[in-house]
Amino acid sequence: GENVEQHPSTLSVQEGDSAVIKCTYSDSASNYFPWYKQELGKGPQLIIDIRSNVGEKKDQRIAVTLNKTAKHFSLHITETQPEDSAVYFCAATDNTNAGKSTFGDGTTLTVKP
Amino acid sequence: KAGVTQTPRYLIKTRGQQVTLSCSPISGHRSVSWYQQTPGQGLQFLFEYFSETQRNKGNFPGRFSGRQFSNSRSEMNVSTLELGDSALYLCASSPGGWGEETQYFGPGTRLLVL
């Protein structure tokens, strides 16, 4: 089955700096890669996603890049703010098994004011 | 549109009991997936239902079961509870069709087994 590894497990940055979280996946059949932000006491919230036919996607301060050959994808957050502090999860999905995502172990991001 | 709702939000049970959790998906979504979240194991897939049929299943014992109703609402049941079943149970809904994999999560039900 699919295996997703996520690094780092914790990340601390100064407000205004950039943060990068990286994930690798094992199953070449995976073709959909969402990123979620989870705040304390809440469910994961989708922040950005990318499909395998696209190499990069950007939404304001957030961007995701995908390297299908190397089987890795990354989340980039620029101009970080204290409200970006949360746990971030990457996931991989094979659309022939839609509804079944494999998640990374999460990255706890702390943005210091 | 209203988001995914889950009831109850918190639950305390004792070992050996059974529990039923409920999930109402976003209106129009036909797929409901269930995940277990624990500090040690992270987010693990339990099962997914689409149009009242189980379409995918994770690697959990048969004590974990689910169903989906004609209005797409879903329930999951855990029988003979064990201490290790203490977790946050999350459901996620999506339209479920080809190319419609984007999942939206509910707030979860936190289950504590004593």
Side-chain angles (χ1 to χ4, degrees):
Chain A
E2 175 65 281
N3 182 52
V4 176
E5 293 190 0
Q6 182 173 345
H7 298 281
S9 56
T10 61
L11 180 58
S12 181
V13 300
Q14 209 64 37
E15 183 178 0
D17 287 350
S18 295
V20 180
I21 302 170
K22 299 182 179 182
C23 288
T24 59
Y25 61 99
S26 61
D27 189 350
S28 56
S30 290
N31 52 15
Y32 173 68
F33 307 93
W35 285 88
Y36 292 89
K37 174 184 181 183
Q38 187 174 25
E39 296 173 310
L40 206 59
K42 297 184 178 180
Q45 176 191 6
L46 179 73
I47 56 172
I48 196 166
D49 55 11
I50 191 167
R51 297 184 186 279
S52 59
N53 59 348
V54 175
E56 183 174 358
K57 184 176 178 181
K58 189 174 181 181
D59 183 4
Q60 299 183 341
R61 298 186 297 110
I62 296 173
V64 57
T65 58
L66 171 65
N67 183 327
K68 279 195 305 180
T69 304
K71 295 198 187 75
H72 68 70
F73 56 113
S74 300
L75 177 71
H76 305 253
I77 305 174
T78 59
E79 300 171 20
T80 53
Q81 300 165 3
E83 49 266 39
D84 293 329
S85 296
V87 180
Y88 291 81
F89 292 94
C90 64
T93 308
D94 161 16
N95 66 5
T96 63
N97 283 300
K100 177 183 179 181
S101 290
T102 302
F103 284 79
D105 289 338
T107 296
T108 301
L109 173 64
T110 303
V111 180
K112 299 177 183 176
Chain B
K1 278 185 181 178
V4 178
T5 58
Q6 293 187 245
T7 57
R9 293 292 313 278
Y10 304 93
L11 210 46
I12 300 175
K13 292 285 187 179
T14 55
R15 278 180 300 174
Q17 287 187 310
Q18 74 164 17
V19 67
T20 299
L21 312 181
S22 181
C23 172
S24 292
I26 291 171
S27 178
H29 285 190
R30 294 186 296 165
S31 168
V32 173
S33 299
W34 288 89
Y35 293 86
Q36 181 195 65
Q37 186 175 28
T38 59
Q41 298 296 319
L43 270 154
Q44 293 196 297
F45 173 77
L46 281 155
F47 31 65
E48 183 235 359
Y49 285 86
F50 177 77
S51 293
E52 301 180 67
T53 301
Q54 188 180 82
R55 191 163 63 169
N56 281 295
K57 188 177 187 305
N59 298 320
F60 278 80
R63 301 185 296 108
F64 292 82
S65 62
R67 60 177 176 169
Q68 187 179 35
F69 302 95
S70 58
N71 62 357
S72 293
R73 189 178 69 87
S74 177
E75 290 181 346
M76 68 162 281
N77 183 276
V78 188
S79 62
T80 319
L81 284 166
E82 301 177 359
L83 295 179
D85 296 333
S86 294
L88 180 68
Y89 289 89
L90 293 159
C91 89
S93 78
S94 72
W98 186 264
E100 298 178 319
E101 307 92 341
T102 304
Q103 294 186 311
Y104 300 90
F105 281 85
T109 293
R110 186 162 294 282
L111 172 65
L112 177 62
V113 182
L114 302 176

Coordinates of all heavy atoms in Angstrom, one line a residue, chain B residues 42-111:
Chain B
G42 N -1.2 8.6 14.1 CA -1.6 9.6 13.1 C -3.0 9.4 12.6 O -3.8 8.8 13.3
L43 N -3.2 9.8 11.3 CA -4.5 9.7 10.7 C -4.5 8.4 9.9 O -3.8 8.2 8.9 CB -4.7 10.8 9.7 CG -5.4 12.1 10.3 CD1 -5.0 13.3 9.5 CD2 -6.9 11.9 10.2
Q44 N -5.4 7.5 10.3 CA -5.5 6.2 9.6 C -6.9 6.0 9.0 O -7.9 6.2 9.7 CB -5.1 5.0 10.5 CG -3.7 5.1 11.0 CD -3.3 3.8 11.6 OE1 -3.8 3.4 12.6 NE2 -2.3 3.1 11.0
F45 N -6.9 5.5 7.8 CA -8.2 5.3 7.1 C -8.9 4.1 7.6 O -8.3 3.0 7.7 CB -7.8 5.1 5.6 CG -9.0 4.8 4.7 CD1 -9.9 5.7 4.3 CD2 -9.1 3.5 4.2 CE1 -11.0 5.4 3.5 CE2 -10.2 3.1 3.4 CZ -11.1 4.1 3.1
L46 N -10.2 4.3 7.9 CA -11.0 3.1 8.3 C -11.8 2.5 7.2 O -11.6 1.4 6.9 CB -12.0 3.6 9.4 CG -11.4 3.8 10.8 CD1 -12.2 4.8 11.6 CD2 -11.4 2.5 11.5
F47 N -12.7 3.3 6.5 CA -13.4 2.9 5.4 C -14.1 4.0 4.7 O -14.2 5.1 5.3 CB -14.5 1.8 5.8 CG -15.1 1.9 7.2 CD1 -15.8 3.0 7.5 CD2 -14.8 0.9 8.1 CE1 -16.4 3.1 8.8 CE2 -15.4 1.0 9.4 CZ -16.1 2.1 9.7
E48 N -14.6 3.8 3.5 CA -15.3 4.8 2.7 C -16.5 4.2 2.2 O -16.6 3.1 1.7 CB -14.4 5.3 1.6 CG -15.0 6.4 0.8 CD -15.1 6.1 -0.7 OE1 -14.6 5.1 -1.2 OE2 -15.7 7.0 -1.4
Y49 N -17.6 5.0 2.2 CA -18.9 4.6 1.6 C -19.3 5.6 0.5 O -19.0 6.8 0.6 CB -20.0 4.6 2.7 CG -19.8 3.4 3.6 CD1 -19.0 3.5 4.7 CD2 -20.5 2.3 3.4 CE1 -18.9 2.4 5.6 CE2 -20.4 1.1 4.2 CZ -19.6 1.2 5.3 OH -19.4 0.1 6.1
F50 N -19.8 5.0 -0.5 CA -20.3 5.8 -1.7 C -21.6 5.2 -2.1 O -21.7 4.0 -2.4 CB -19.2 5.8 -2.8 CG -19.7 6.5 -4.0 CD1 -19.6 7.9 -4.1 CD2 -20.1 5.8 -5.1 CE1 -19.9 8.6 -5.2 CE2 -20.5 6.5 -6.3 CZ -20.4 7.9 -6.3
S51 N -22.6 6.1 -2.1 CA -24.0 5.6 -2.6 C -24.4 4.3 -1.8 O -24.8 3.4 -2.5 CB -24.0 5.4 -4.1 OG -23.9 6.7 -4.7
E52 N -24.2 4.4 -0.5 CA -24.7 3.3 0.4 C -23.8 2.0 0.3 O -24.2 1.0 1.0 CB -26.1 3.0 0.2 CG -27.1 4.2 0.4 CD -28.5 3.8 0.1 OE1 -29.1 3.0 0.9 OE2 -29.1 4.3 -0.9
T53 N -22.7 2.0 -0.4 CA -21.9 0.8 -0.6 C -20.5 1.1 0.0 O -19.9 2.2 -0.3 CB -21.8 0.4 -2.0 OG1 -23.1 0.1 -2.5 CG2 -20.9 -0.8 -2.2
Q54 N -19.9 0.1 0.7 CA -18.5 0.3 1.1 C -17.6 0.2 -0.1 O -17.6 -0.9 -0.7 CB -18.2 -0.7 2.2 CG -16.8 -0.4 2.8 CD -16.5 -1.5 3.9 OE1 -16.0 -2.5 3.6 NE2 -16.7 -1.1 5.1
R55 N -16.9 1.2 -0.4 CA -16.1 1.2 -1.6 C -14.6 0.9 -1.3 O -13.9 0.3 -2.1 CB -16.2 2.5 -2.3 CG -15.7 2.6 -3.7 CD -16.2 3.8 -4.5 NE -15.8 5.1 -4.0 CZ -16.0 6.2 -4.7 NH1 -16.5 6.2 -5.9 NH2 -15.6 7.4 -4.1
N56 N -14.2 1.3 -0.1 CA -12.8 1.0 0.3 C -12.8 0.7 1.8 O -13.6 1.2 2.5 CB -11.9 2.3 0.0 CG -11.5 2.4 -1.4 OD1 -10.8 1.6 -1.9 ND2 -12.0 3.5 -2.0
K57 N -11.8 -0.1 2.2 CA -11.7 -0.5 3.6 C -10.2 -0.4 4.0 O -9.3 -0.9 3.2 CB -12.2 -1.9 3.7 CG -12.3 -2.3 5.2 CD -13.0 -3.7 5.2 CE -13.3 -4.1 6.7 NZ -12.2 -4.1 7.6
G58 N -9.9 0.1 5.2 CA -8.6 0.1 5.7 C -8.3 -1.2 6.5 O -9.1 -2.2 6.4
N59 N -7.2 -1.2 7.2 CA -6.8 -2.4 7.9 C -7.1 -2.3 9.4 O -6.3 -2.3 10.3 CB -5.2 -2.5 7.8 CG -4.8 -2.7 6.4 OD1 -5.5 -3.4 5.6 ND2 -3.7 -2.1 6.0
F60 N -8.4 -2.3 9.7 CA -8.9 -2.3 11.0 C -9.7 -3.6 11.3 O -10.2 -4.2 10.3 CB -9.8 -1.1 11.3 CG -9.0 0.2 11.6 CD1 -8.4 0.9 10.6 CD2 -8.9 0.6 12.9 CE1 -7.7 2.1 10.9 CE2 -8.2 1.7 13.2 CZ -7.6 2.5 12.2
P61 N -9.7 -4.1 12.5 CA -10.5 -5.3 12.8 C -11.9 -5.2 12.5 O -12.5 -4.0 12.4 CB -10.2 -5.6 14.3 CG -9.7 -4.3 14.8 CD -9.1 -3.5 13.7
G62 N -12.6 -6.3 12.5 CA -14.0 -6.3 12.2 C -14.9 -5.6 13.2 O -16.1 -5.4 13.0
R63 N -14.3 -5.3 14.4 CA -15.1 -4.6 15.4 C -15.5 -3.2 14.9 O -16.4 -2.6 15.4 CB -14.3 -4.4 16.7 CG -13.8 -5.7 17.3 CD -13.1 -5.4 18.7 NE -11.9 -4.6 18.5 CZ -11.8 -3.3 18.9 NH1 -12.8 -2.7 19.4 NH2 -10.6 -2.7 18.8
F64 N -14.8 -2.7 13.9 CA -15.1 -1.4 13.3 C -16.0 -1.7 12.1 O -15.6 -2.4 11.2 CB -13.8 -0.7 12.9 CG -13.0 -0.3 14.1 CD1 -12.1 -1.2 14.7 CD2 -13.1 1.0 14.6 CE1 -11.3 -0.8 15.8 CE2 -12.3 1.4 15.7 CZ -11.4 0.5 16.3
S65 N -17.2 -1.1 12.1 CA -18.0 -1.2 10.9 C -18.7 0.1 10.6 O -18.7 1.0 11.5 CB -19.1 -2.3 11.2 OG -19.9 -2.0 12.3
G66 N -19.3 0.2 9.5 CA -20.0 1.4 9.1 C -21.2 1.1 8.2 O -21.4 0.0 7.8
R67 N -21.9 2.2 8.0 CA -23.0 2.1 7.0 C -23.3 3.5 6.5 O -23.0 4.5 7.1 CB -24.2 1.4 7.5 CG -24.9 2.1 8.7 CD -26.1 1.3 9.1 NE -26.7 1.9 10.4 CZ -27.9 1.5 10.8 NH1 -28.6 0.7 10.1 NH2 -28.4 2.1 11.9
Q68 N -24.0 3.5 5.3 CA -24.4 4.8 4.8 C -25.8 4.7 4.4 O -26.3 3.7 3.8 CB -23.5 5.2 3.6 CG -23.8 6.6 3.1 CD -22.9 7.0 1.9 OE1 -22.6 6.1 1.1 NE2 -22.6 8.2 1.8
F69 N -26.6 5.8 4.6 CA -28.0 5.8 4.3 C -28.2 6.5 3.0 O -27.3 7.1 2.4 CB -28.7 6.5 5.5 CG -28.5 5.9 6.8 CD1 -27.5 6.4 7.7 CD2 -29.3 4.8 7.2 CE1 -27.3 5.8 8.9 CE2 -29.0 4.2 8.5 CZ -28.1 4.7 9.3
S70 N -29.5 6.4 2.6 CA -29.8 6.9 1.2 C -29.6 8.4 1.1 O -29.5 9.0 0.0 CB -31.3 6.5 0.9 OG -32.2 7.0 1.8
N71 N -29.6 9.1 2.3 CA -29.4 10.6 2.2 C -27.9 10.9 2.4 O -27.6 12.1 2.6 CB -30.2 11.3 3.3 CG -29.8 10.8 4.7 OD1 -29.0 9.9 4.9 ND2 -30.5 11.4 5.7
S72 N -27.1 9.9 2.3 CA -25.6 10.0 2.4 C -25.1 10.1 3.8 O -23.8 10.1 4.0 CB -25.0 11.1 1.5 OG -25.2 10.8 0.1
R73 N -25.9 10.3 4.8 CA -25.4 10.3 6.2 C -24.8 9.0 6.5 O -25.2 7.9 5.9 CB -26.6 10.6 7.1 CG -26.2 10.8 8.6 CD -27.4 11.2 9.4 NE -28.2 10.0 9.6 CZ -28.1 9.1 10.6 NH1 -27.1 9.2 11.4 NH2 -28.9 8.1 10.7
S74 N -23.8 9.0 7.3 CA -23.1 7.7 7.6 C -23.0 7.5 9.1 O -22.9 8.5 9.9 CB -21.7 7.7 6.9 OG -21.0 6.6 7.3
E75 N -22.9 6.3 9.5 CA -22.6 6.0 10.9 C -21.5 5.0 10.9 O -21.3 4.2 10.0 CB -23.8 5.3 11.6 CG -25.0 6.3 11.8 CD -26.2 5.6 12.5 OE1 -26.2 4.3 12.5 OE2 -27.0 6.3 13.0
M76 N -20.6 5.1 12.0 CA -19.7 4.0 12.2 C -19.9 3.4 13.6 O -20.3 4.2 14.5 CB -18.2 4.4 12.0 CG -17.7 5.4 13.0 SD -15.9 5.5 13.0 CE -15.5 4.0 14.0
N77 N -19.7 2.2 13.7 CA -19.9 1.5 15.0 C -18.6 0.8 15.4 O -17.9 0.2 14.6 CB -21.0 0.4 14.8 CG -21.4 -0.3 16.1 OD1 -20.7 -1.3 16.4 ND2 -22.4 0.2 16.8
V78 N -18.3 0.8 16.7 CA -17.2 0.1 17.2 C -17.8 -0.8 18.3 O -18.4 -0.3 19.3 CB -16.1 1.0 17.8 CG1 -14.9 0.1 18.2 CG2 -15.7 2.1 16.8
S79 N -17.6 -2.1 18.2 CA -18.1 -3.0 19.2 C -17.0 -3.4 20.1 O -15.8 -3.3 19.8 CB -18.8 -4.2 18.6 OG -17.8 -4.9 17.8
T80 N -17.3 -3.9 21.3 CA -16.4 -4.5 22.3 C -15.2 -3.5 22.4 O -14.0 -3.9 22.1 CB -15.9 -5.9 21.9 OG1 -17.0 -6.6 21.4 CG2 -15.3 -6.6 23.1
L81 N -15.4 -2.3 22.8 CA -14.4 -1.3 22.9 C -13.2 -1.7 23.7 O -13.3 -2.4 24.8 CB -15.0 0.0 23.5 CG -15.9 0.8 22.6 CD1 -16.7 1.8 23.4 CD2 -15.0 1.5 21.5
E82 N -12.0 -1.3 23.2 CA -10.7 -1.5 23.9 C -10.1 -0.2 24.3 O -10.5 0.9 23.6 CB -9.8 -2.3 23.0 CG -10.3 -3.7 22.6 CD -9.4 -4.4 21.7 OE1 -8.3 -3.8 21.3 OE2 -9.7 -5.5 21.3
L83 N -9.2 -0.2 25.2 CA -8.6 1.1 25.6 C -7.9 1.8 24.4 O -8.0 3.0 24.3 CB -7.6 0.9 26.7 CG -8.1 0.3 28.1 CD1 -6.9 0.1 29.0 CD2 -9.1 1.3 28.7
G84 N -7.4 1.0 23.6 CA -6.7 1.5 22.4 C -7.6 2.2 21.4 O -7.1 2.8 20.4
D85 N -8.9 2.1 21.5 CA -9.8 2.7 20.6 C -10.0 4.2 20.9 O -10.7 4.9 20.2 CB -11.2 2.0 20.6 CG -11.1 0.5 20.2 OD1 -10.1 0.2 19.4 OD2 -11.9 -0.3 20.6
S86 N -9.4 4.6 22.0 CA -9.5 6.0 22.4 C -8.8 6.8 21.3 O -7.6 6.6 21.0 CB -8.8 6.3 23.7 OG -9.5 5.7 24.8
A87 N -9.6 7.8 20.7 CA -9.0 8.5 19.6 C -10.0 9.6 19.2 O -11.1 9.6 19.7 CB -8.8 7.5 18.4
L88 N -9.6 10.4 18.2 CA -10.4 11.3 17.5 C -10.9 10.6 16.2 O -10.0 10.2 15.4 CB -9.7 12.6 17.2 CG -10.5 13.7 16.5 CD1 -11.6 14.2 17.4 CD2 -9.6 14.9 16.0
Y89 N -12.2 10.5 16.0 CA -12.7 9.9 14.8 C -13.2 11.0 13.9 O -14.1 11.7 14.3 CB -13.8 8.8 15.2 CG -13.2 7.6 15.9 CD1 -13.0 7.6 17.2 CD2 -12.7 6.6 15.1 CE1 -12.4 6.5 17.9 CE2 -12.1 5.5 15.7 CZ -12.0 5.4 17.1 OH -11.4 4.4 17.7
L90 N -12.7 11.0 12.8 CA -13.0 12.1 11.8 C -13.7 11.5 10.6 O -13.4 10.4 10.1 CB -11.7 12.7 11.3 CG -10.9 13.5 12.3 CD1 -9.4 13.6 11.9 CD2 -11.5 14.9 12.5
C91 N -14.7 12.2 10.1 CA -15.3 11.8 8.9 C -15.0 12.9 7.9 O -14.9 14.1 8.2 CB -16.8 11.4 9.0 SG -17.9 12.8 8.8
A92 N -15.0 12.5 6.6 CA -14.7 13.5 5.5 C -15.7 13.2 4.4 O -15.9 12.0 4.1 CB -13.3 13.4 5.1
S93 N -16.2 14.2 3.8 CA -17.1 13.9 2.6 C -16.5 14.5 1.3 O -15.7 15.5 1.4 CB -18.5 14.5 2.9 OG -18.5 15.9 2.7
S94 N -16.9 13.9 0.2 CA -16.5 14.4 -1.1 C -17.6 14.1 -2.1 O -18.4 13.2 -1.8 CB -15.1 13.8 -1.5 OG -15.3 12.5 -1.9
P95 N -17.6 14.8 -3.2 CA -18.6 14.4 -4.2 C -18.5 12.9 -4.6 O -19.5 12.3 -4.8 CB -18.3 15.3 -5.4 CG -17.6 16.5 -4.8 CD -16.8 16.0 -3.6
G96 N -17.3 12.4 -4.7 CA -17.1 11.0 -4.8 C -17.0 10.5 -6.3 O -16.6 9.4 -6.5
G97 N -17.2 11.4 -7.2 CA -17.1 10.9 -8.6 C -15.7 11.0 -9.1 O -14.7 11.3 -8.4
W98 N -15.5 10.6 -10.4 CA -14.1 10.6 -11.0 C -13.6 12.0 -10.9 O -14.2 12.9 -11.4 CB -14.2 10.0 -12.4 CG -12.9 9.9 -13.0 CD1 -12.2 10.7 -13.8 CD2 -12.0 8.8 -12.8 NE1 -11.0 10.2 -14.2 CE2 -10.8 9.0 -13.6 CE3 -12.1 7.6 -12.1 CZ2 -9.8 8.1 -13.6 CZ3 -11.0 6.7 -12.2 CH2 -9.9 7.0 -12.9
G99 N -12.4 12.1 -10.4 CA -11.7 13.4 -10.3 C -12.3 14.3 -9.3 O -11.9 15.5 -9.2
E100 N -13.1 13.8 -8.4 CA -13.7 14.5 -7.3 C -13.2 14.0 -6.0 O -14.0 13.7 -5.1 CB -15.2 14.5 -7.4 CG -15.8 15.1 -8.7 CD -17.3 15.0 -8.8 OE1 -17.8 13.9 -8.4 OE2 -17.9 15.9 -9.2
E101 N -11.9 13.9 -5.8 CA -11.4 13.3 -4.6 C -11.3 14.3 -3.4 O -11.0 13.8 -2.3 CB -10.0 12.8 -4.9 CG -9.9 11.9 -6.1 CD -9.5 12.6 -7.3 OE1 -9.7 13.8 -7.4 OE2 -9.0 12.0 -8.3
T102 N -11.4 15.6 -3.6 CA -11.2 16.5 -2.5 C -12.1 16.2 -1.4 O -13.4 16.2 -1.5 CB -11.5 17.9 -3.0 OG1 -10.6 18.2 -4.2 CG2 -11.1 18.9 -1.9
Q103 N -11.5 16.0 -0.2 CA -12.3 15.6 1.0 C -12.3 16.8 1.9 O -11.3 17.5 2.1 CB -11.6 14.4 1.7 CG -11.6 13.2 0.9 CD -11.1 12.0 1.6 OE1 -10.0 12.0 2.2 NE2 -11.8 10.9 1.7
Y104 N -13.5 17.0 2.6 CA -13.7 18.0 3.6 C -14.0 17.3 4.9 O -15.0 16.5 4.9 CB -14.8 18.9 3.1 CG -14.5 19.6 1.8 CD1 -14.9 19.0 0.6 CD2 -13.8 20.8 1.8 CE1 -14.5 19.6 -0.6 CE2 -13.5 21.4 0.5 CZ -13.9 20.8 -0.6 OH -13.5 21.4 -1.8
F105 N -13.3 17.7 5.9 CA -13.4 17.0 7.2 C -14.4 17.7 8.1 O -14.6 18.9 8.1 CB -12.1 17.0 7.9 CG -11.2 15.9 7.3 CD1 -10.4 16.1 6.2 CD2 -11.1 14.6 7.9 CE1 -9.5 15.1 5.7 CE2 -10.3 13.6 7.5 CZ -9.5 13.9 6.3
G106 N -15.0 16.9 9.0 CA -15.8 17.4 10.1 C -14.9 17.7 11.3 O -13.7 17.4 11.2
P107 N -15.5 18.1 12.4 CA -14.7 18.5 13.6 C -14.3 17.3 14.4 O -13.4 17.4 15.2 CB -15.7 19.3 14.4 CG -17.0 18.8 14.0 CD -16.9 18.5 12.5
G108 N -14.9 16.1 14.1 CA -14.4 14.9 14.8 C -15.3 14.6 16.0 O -15.9 15.4 16.6
T109 N -15.2 13.3 16.4 CA -15.8 12.9 17.7 C -14.7 12.3 18.5 O -13.9 11.4 18.1 CB -16.8 11.7 17.5 OG1 -18.0 12.2 16.8 CG2 -17.3 11.2 18.8
R110 N -14.5 12.9 19.7 CA -13.4 12.4 20.5 C -14.0 11.3 21.5 O -14.9 11.6 22.2 CB -12.8 13.6 21.4 CG -11.6 13.1 22.2 CD -10.7 14.3 22.6 NE -10.1 15.0 21.6 CZ -9.0 14.6 20.9 NH1 -8.4 13.5 21.2 NH2 -8.5 15.4 19.9
L111 N -13.4 10.1 21.3 CA -13.9 9.0 22.1 C -12.8 8.6 23.1 O -11.6 8.5 22.8 CB -14.1 7.8 21.2 CG -14.4 6.4 21.9 CD1 -15.7 6.5 22.6 CD2 -14.4 5.3 20.8

